[in-house]
């Protein structure tokens, strides 16, 4: 595979390696240093569904956390995924998860704000060419907090 050939990543982060490619890096909302290191100095060459391909051929699969229960507690869905045509020079994180009785406040006029006050979010912003871009956003709720929160990303480094 060449660095410009896009191939989606199979599997998910939560499957503990079953039905998932070998050699993938698994990151989550706590991996801010690693995510920043991954994105700095790169461009997004392709956006495809839940995947980003960076200009060096690295592929990222963005996956919202699945609480694994029949209710929506602990479930976050990917709601925003954007490309960046210029070199990424800075990465910022805006995490406002929602749980029972603890709802985040949203910025007035924010086009990516969830539709209701009971929904929280995890956002990864990047700066490129002096523009702030919402690179990825996951919307959902922690519910009672038992089923988890956040997101995972799978990373396949370019060969």
């Amino acid at each position: 595979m060449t660095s410009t050939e896009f191939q989606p990543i199979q599997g998910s982060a939560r499957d503990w390696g079953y039905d998932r490619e070998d050699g993938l890096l698994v990151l989550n909302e706590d991996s801010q240093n690693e995510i920043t290191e991954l994105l700095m100095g790169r461009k997004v060459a392709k956006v495809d569904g839940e995947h980003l391909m960076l200009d060096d051929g690295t592929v990222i699969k963005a996956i919202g956390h699945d609480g694994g229960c029949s209710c929506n507690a602990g479930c976050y869905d990917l709601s925003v995924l954007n490309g960046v045509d210029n070199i990424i020079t800075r990465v910022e994180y805006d995490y406002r998860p929602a749980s029972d009785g603890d709802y985040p406040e949203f910025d007035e006029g924010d086009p990516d704000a969830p539709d209701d006050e009971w929904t929280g979010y995890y956002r990864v912003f990047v700066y490129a060419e002096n523009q702030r871009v919402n690179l990825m956003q996951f919307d959902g709720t922690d519910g009672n907090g038992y089923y988890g929160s956040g997101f995972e990303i799978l990373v396949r480094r370019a060969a």
Side-chain angles (χ1 to χ4, degrees):
M1 181 169 87
T2 66
S3 64
T4 57
E5 185 181 334
F6 172 73
Q7 293 221 323
I9 295 173
Q10 302 302 314
S12 68
R14 300 236 20 199
D15 64 10
W16 304 102
Y18 302 107
D19 300 325
R20 186 173 70 216
E21 299 172 32
D22 291 333
L24 295 178
L25 177 62
V26 180
L27 303 174
N28 64 29
E29 68 279 356
D30 295 326
S31 308
Q32 291 182 4
N33 290 337
E34 293 88 347
I35 295 169
T36 297
E37 192 174 293
L38 180 70
L39 297 173
M40 288 292 290
R42 305 267 49 109
K43 297 178 186 178
V44 176
K46 183 176 184 73
V47 178
D48 187 325
E50 59 192 359
H51 291 84
L52 297 174
M53 186 172 84
L54 303 180
D55 60 346
D56 67 349
T58 297
V59 177
I60 297 169
K61 183 176 183 180
I63 306 165
H65 182 78
D66 179 6
C69 66
S70 59
C71 64
N72 65 350
C75 295
Y76 282 81
D77 295 320
L78 178 65
S79 60
V80 174
L81 193 64
N82 288 306
V84 180
D85 292 333
N86 296 299
I87 299 284
I88 296 170
T89 57
R90 185 169 153 195
V91 182
E92 289 182 350
Y93 302 88
D94 181 16
Y95 295 171
R96 297 184 195 184
S99 60
D100 290 349
D102 181 26
Y103 308 114
E105 292 184 24
F106 303 124
D107 299 328
E108 283 293 319
D110 185 339
D112 294 322
D115 294 334
D116 59 62
E117 72 236 31
W118 301 282
T119 303
Y121 57 80
Y122 288 83
R123 295 177 178 173
V124 178
F125 288 99
V126 295
Y127 286 82
E129 195 71 20
N130 294 319
Q131 298 291 317
R132 184 178 192 219
V133 176
N134 187 356
L135 185 68
M136 61 181 77
Q137 177 173 325
F138 305 87
D139 294 336
T141 181
D142 290 2
N144 62 15
Y146 180 76
Y147 297 98
S149 184
F151 65 90
E152 293 95 13
I153 61 173
L154 300 179
V155 179
R156 181 193 313 121
R157 299 268 187 191

